[in-house]
């Protein structure tokens, strides 16, 4: 039902009206044929013309509507100066757009009193030295007004269709902002209730001056209604949410008084953002999506100036900071089967955000491939290890997780390195041995050989090495239903004692020794050879990493 209400509000937005001014009328062919001359009321040339009224009556004012342009030959207009002044005043009071008088039938030169009165009231007064067909003028103006209104209606329909489609498709804030920018050609900014820029789309001009000192300037702009134009900032501001429960504002660049169409786009975009909020049950989803885009942007190209700017305005300072990447793998709780992993990931994201906030640490936090990714920004003098350890300890209290940290990046171009290192560290940690256990944070120096193998990933040479070392054992196990590879693993994981290795498999020593003898025959090598053991150990670790989910 709430979705239907928002959709109806989108449909009910009034289309902006077309504007044809007095100056526009003077450029039309039937009027140009009369060689028009503006003799008074130059300030009224920009007044909107809604229709044309042809008359010779002096008391026509009560029959006029605002925006009517009066055409006359002046035959029946007053003779006295006072009467002419009264005529001009009555037209101005009725909201007439202006007066065009054809010369020759009554006057060859307009009376000074009429000229002065029109100037005084800012009423455009135009003379036509040559005869024109007033019917042709009325037709030309009418067609122009109707054509303009139809074009505006078409534009309004495009706006309506664009945002309706976005709402139905459950489009995110970024897509809504991009649509608003395409329709208007101006910069568009989404801010939250604390006046932080959540996201923006730049216009054709340099975006830096528009975003400079944003929070300070934004706090000065007060909402007079749903949509407000602040001429001092050159902002068109639309409130998101009900007054008192608003959760942000949409700001569009408007250095001059905005048109009705610009205001309509702003309000339709705001409605689409509200629709997205209804679709998404998480209050911080807009921020989360922005953080996701920024982390992916830094991984792709940390030198991208636009990504850097967006990080800064999102509250993550990059210059002169220690930047540390974190990856958090979430594990189900022991014995838990009902809670989806996605819900656990959401809990860990919330815990990470809360921990960063409590530690007064700027951070980007999001979910990537069912893992929590974070980038911390610390002062250069901060004890980075201590801060990361404390944050990790707080996250661990929310459940079983594996946390990996990259080495601090002191230069912006190294940001992708610390993010990738964190991911590689987590990928190299054995979940069964370390998940939810000490240390709270795993680093490169903790993962040793596993870290190196993780860096190699699915390198073809590593795959060939594993097959060369273990292929004969795997084929035998598959054909005979044995577990010789398991015996080798027990041997290399218990290098000090074959008895302990046998016990780990719940085998007697003779049975275990017999299996090792079969391994040696298949490999054509002695397991007491240190090089052979190391090669087998590396191959087993690599196989585990290559086959990990």
């Amino acid at each position: 039902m709430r979705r239907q209400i928002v959709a109806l509000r989108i449909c009910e937005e009034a289309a902006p009206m077309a504007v044809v001014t007095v100056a526009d009328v003077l450029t039309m062919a039937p009027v140009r044929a009369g060689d028009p001359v503006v003799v008074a009321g130059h300030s009224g040339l920009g007044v909107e013309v809604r229709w044309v009224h042809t008359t010779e009556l002096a008391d026509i004012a009560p029959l006029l509507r605002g925006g009517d342009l009066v055409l006359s030959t002046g035959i029946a207009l007053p003779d006295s100066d006072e009467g002419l002044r009264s005529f001009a005043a009555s037209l101005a009071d009725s909201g007439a757009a202006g007066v065009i008088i054809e010369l020759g039938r009554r006057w060859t030169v307009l009376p000074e009193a009429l000229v002065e009165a029109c100037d005084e009231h800012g009423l455009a007064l135009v003379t036509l030295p040559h005869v024109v067909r007033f019917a042709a003028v009325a037709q030309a103006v009418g067609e122009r007004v109707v054509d303009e209104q139809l074009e505006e209606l078409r534009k309004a329909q495009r706006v309506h269709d664009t945002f309706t489609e976005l709402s139905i498709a459950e489009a995110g804030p970024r897509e809504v902002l991009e649509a608003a920018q395409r329709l208007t050609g101006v910069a568009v900014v989404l801010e939250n209730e604390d006046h932080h820029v959540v996201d923006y789309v730049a216009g054709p001009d340099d975006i830096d001056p528009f975003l400079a000192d944003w929070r300070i300037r934004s706090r000065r702009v007060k909402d007079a209604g749903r949509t407000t134009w602040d001429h001092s900032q050159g902002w068109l501001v639309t409130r998101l949410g009900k007054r008192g429960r608003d959760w942000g504002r949409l700001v569009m660049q408007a250095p001059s008084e905005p048109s009705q169409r610009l205001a309509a786009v702003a309000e339709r975009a705001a409605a689409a953002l509200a629709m997205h909020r209804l679709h998404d049950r998480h209050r911080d989803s807009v921020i989360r999506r922005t953080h996701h885009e920024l982390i992916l942007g830094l991984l792709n190209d940390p030198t991208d100036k636009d990504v850097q700017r967006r990080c800064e305005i999102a509250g993550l300072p990059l210059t002169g900071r220690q930047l540390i990447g974190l990856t958090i793998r979430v594990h189900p709780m022991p014995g838990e089967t009902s809670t989806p992993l996605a819900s656990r990931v959401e809990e860990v994201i919330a815990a990470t955000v809360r921990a960063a906030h409590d530690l007064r640490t700027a951070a980007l936090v999001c979910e990537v491939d069912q893992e929590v990714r974070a980038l911390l920004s610390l002062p250069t003098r901060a004890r980075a290890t201590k801060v990361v350890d404390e944050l990790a300890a707080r996250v661990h209290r929310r459940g079983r997780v594996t946390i990996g940290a990259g080495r601090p990046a002191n230069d912006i171009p190294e940001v992708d390195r610390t993010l990738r290192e964190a991911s590689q560290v987590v990928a190299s940690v054995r979940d069964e041995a370390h998940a939810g256990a000490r240390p709270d944070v795993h680093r490169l120096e903790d993962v040793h050989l596993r870290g190196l193998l993780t860096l190699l990933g699915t390198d073809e040479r590593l795959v060939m090495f594993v097959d060369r070392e273990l292929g004969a054992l795997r084929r035998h196990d598959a054909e005979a239903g044995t577990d010789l590879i398991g015996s080798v693993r027990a041997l290399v994981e218990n290098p000090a004692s074959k008895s302990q290795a046998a016990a780990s498999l719940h085998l007697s020593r003779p049975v275990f020794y017999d299996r090792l003898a079969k391994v040696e025959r298949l490999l054509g090598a002695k397991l007491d050879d240190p090089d052979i053991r190391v090669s087998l150990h590396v191959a087993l670790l690599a196989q585990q990493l290559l086959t990990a989910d």
Side-chain angles (χ1 to χ4, degrees):
M1 184 61 183
R2 294 177 67 190
R3 294 186 182 182
Q4 292 176 349
I5 292 173
V6 175
L8 286 173
R9 286 177 180 168
I10 295 175
C11 295
E12 290 170 357
E13 295 287 352
M17 298 300 292
V19 175
V20 178
T21 65
V22 175
D24 293 330
V25 172
L26 300 185
T27 64
M28 296 179 184
V31 180
R32 289 203 315 270
D35 292 333
V37 178
V38 182
V39 296
H42 289 77
S43 61
L45 292 176
V47 173
E48 179 181 355
V49 175
R50 294 182 180 273
W51 209 249
V52 174
H53 201 107
T54 303
T55 185
E56 301 298 340
L57 301 177
D59 57 352
I60 189 61
L63 303 179
L64 299 178
R65 301 169 302 173
D68 279 354
L69 179 64
V70 175
L71 304 180
S72 177
T73 62
I75 291 176
L77 294 185
D79 293 323
S80 66
D81 290 350
E82 188 61 32
L84 291 174
R85 292 192 183 94
S86 177
F87 170 69
S90 67
L91 294 182
D93 291 342
S94 70
V99 185
I100 297 180
I101 297 180
E102 181 186 281
L103 299 179
R105 305 210 180 189
R106 170 77 184 276
W107 296 301
T108 56
V109 177
L110 294 184
E112 193 64 31
L114 180 60
V115 175
E116 291 176 354
C118 288
D119 249 339
E120 179 183 343
H121 292 287
L123 184 69
L125 178 61
V126 180
T127 59
L128 298 174
H130 305 292
V131 175
V132 299
R133 295 175 57 202
F134 283 175
V137 174
Q139 180 180 354
V141 172
E143 289 175 350
R144 175 74 174 274
V145 169
V146 171
D147 288 345
E148 291 290 339
Q149 289 179 341
L150 285 174
E151 180 58 27
E152 288 298 327
L153 287 171
R154 292 189 190 99
K155 292 179 180 178
Q157 186 63 40
R158 285 197 294 271
V159 171
H160 163 71
D161 291 344
T162 297
F163 288 111
T164 299
E165 290 173 6
L166 289 172
S167 298
I168 293 173
E170 301 185 12
R174 182 71 180 179
E175 295 163 289
V176 174
L177 297 187
E178 289 174 346
Q181 196 282 326
R182 286 196 304 271
L183 289 167
T184 62
V186 302
V188 186
V189 175
L190 173 63
E191 67 170 21
N192 63 17
E193 63 268 31
D194 294 324
H195 303 281
H196 283 294
V197 174
V198 175
D199 203 355
Y200 72 90
V201 178
D205 301 326
D206 182 11
I207 193 67
D208 286 337
F210 188 54
L211 297 175
D213 301 320
W214 183 271
R215 290 194 72 194
I216 297 174
R217 295 163 61 203
S218 179
R219 291 180 185 278
R220 296 174 184 161
V221 179
K222 304 303 179 183
D223 300 330
R226 182 187 177 193
T227 300
T228 303
W229 178 55
D230 187 286
H231 64 88
S232 62
Q233 301 290 353
W235 292 3
L236 180 66
V237 181
T238 300
R239 189 176 66 247
L240 301 174
K242 296 180 180 179
R243 184 176 293 280
R245 297 176 58 189
D246 47 308
W247 48 273
R249 299 192 300 186
L250 182 70
V251 182
M252 303 186 74
Q253 196 171 23
S256 58
E257 185 171 0
S259 64
Q260 293 183 27
R261 183 170 183 271
L262 185 63
V265 171
E267 295 193 356
R268 283 178 169 84
L273 291 170
M275 181 72 82
H276 167 75
R277 192 171 177 80
L278 292 178
H279 290 154
D280 201 316
R281 62 187 179 90
H282 305 293
R283 278 188 60 86
D284 61 346
S285 62
V286 175
I287 297 175
R288 185 91 50 78
R289 191 185 300 268
T290 300
H291 285 198
H292 181 270
E293 292 176 356
L294 292 178
I295 283 182
L296 293 184
L298 290 170
L299 280 168
N300 181 57
D301 182 9
T303 63
D304 188 311
K305 296 299 182 183
D306 184 61
V307 173
Q308 293 178 15
R309 183 191 298 114
R310 292 177 63 197
C311 285
E312 294 281 352
I313 64 176
L316 188 88
L318 297 176
T319 305
R321 308 282 289 188
Q322 297 183 78
L323 302 165
I324 303 170
L326 296 181
T327 295
I328 306 174
R329 179 181 295 163
V330 183
H331 309 282
M333 298 297 288
E336 183 179 68
T337 58
S338 59
T339 304
L341 181 61
S343 297
R344 292 279 298 116
V345 170
E346 289 295 332
E347 292 174 6
V348 173
I349 288 177
T352 306
V353 171
R354 172 58 63 183
H357 180 269
D358 291 344
L359 295 172
R360 298 182 179 180
T361 300
L364 300 178
V365 184
C366 68
E367 179 266 333
V368 178
D369 297 331
Q370 293 192 316
E371 290 183 339
V372 179
R373 306 293 294 273
L375 179 64
L376 309 182
S377 175
L378 304 175
T380 54
R381 296 183 179 180
R383 297 173 60 186
T385 300
K386 181 180 179 181
V387 173
V388 173
D389 286 347
E390 176 60 27
L391 185 145
R394 296 181 182 219
V395 175
H396 269 288
R397 294 171 196 153
R398 297 300 298 268
R400 297 179 67 247
V401 295
T402 301
I403 302 179
R407 292 171 297 164
N410 297 313
D411 294 314
I412 296 175
E414 295 183 1
V415 172
D416 60 331
R417 187 261 302 160
T418 186
L419 289 168
R420 295 183 195 282
E421 283 182 356
S423 178
Q424 292 159 357
V425 167
V426 166
S428 65
V429 172
R430 288 179 294 178
D431 297 340
E432 65 275 12
H434 298 287
R438 301 296 178 181
D440 282 343
V441 182
H442 300 276
R443 296 178 170 87
L444 281 177
E445 57 266 28
D446 300 320
V447 294
H448 306 294
L449 181 58
R450 282 179 168 270
L452 173 62
L453 296 175
T454 303
L455 288 173
L456 293 175
T458 57
D459 188 291
E460 182 181 357
R461 290 167 295 181
L462 181 62
V463 175
M464 292 174 62
F465 169 78
V466 171
D467 186 66
R468 184 170 64 247
E469 295 295 315
L470 302 178
L473 300 180
R474 287 192 298 203
R475 286 188 291 273
H476 183 277
D477 285 344
E479 294 171 359
T482 56
D483 186 19
L484 297 182
I485 285 183
S487 298
V488 173
R489 181 177 293 107
L491 177 67
V492 299
E493 290 180 352
N494 297 274
S497 172
K498 290 183 180 179
S499 296
Q500 291 180 359
S504 70
L505 296 176
H506 306 291
L507 297 175
S508 65
R509 290 178 61 185
V511 171
F512 183 64
Y513 288 169
D514 181 62
R515 290 188 179 183
L516 294 184
K518 288 182 180 179
V519 169
E520 289 181 337
R521 288 195 298 272
L522 288 169
L523 297 180
K526 293 294 183 179
L527 294 178
D528 289 336
D529 186 332
D531 288 344
I532 297 299
R533 284 204 185 191
V534 169
S535 292
L536 290 171
H537 197 179
V538 171
L540 288 168
L541 289 176
Q543 176 181 255
Q544 185 182 49
L545 295 172
L546 289 169
T547 58
D549 292 336

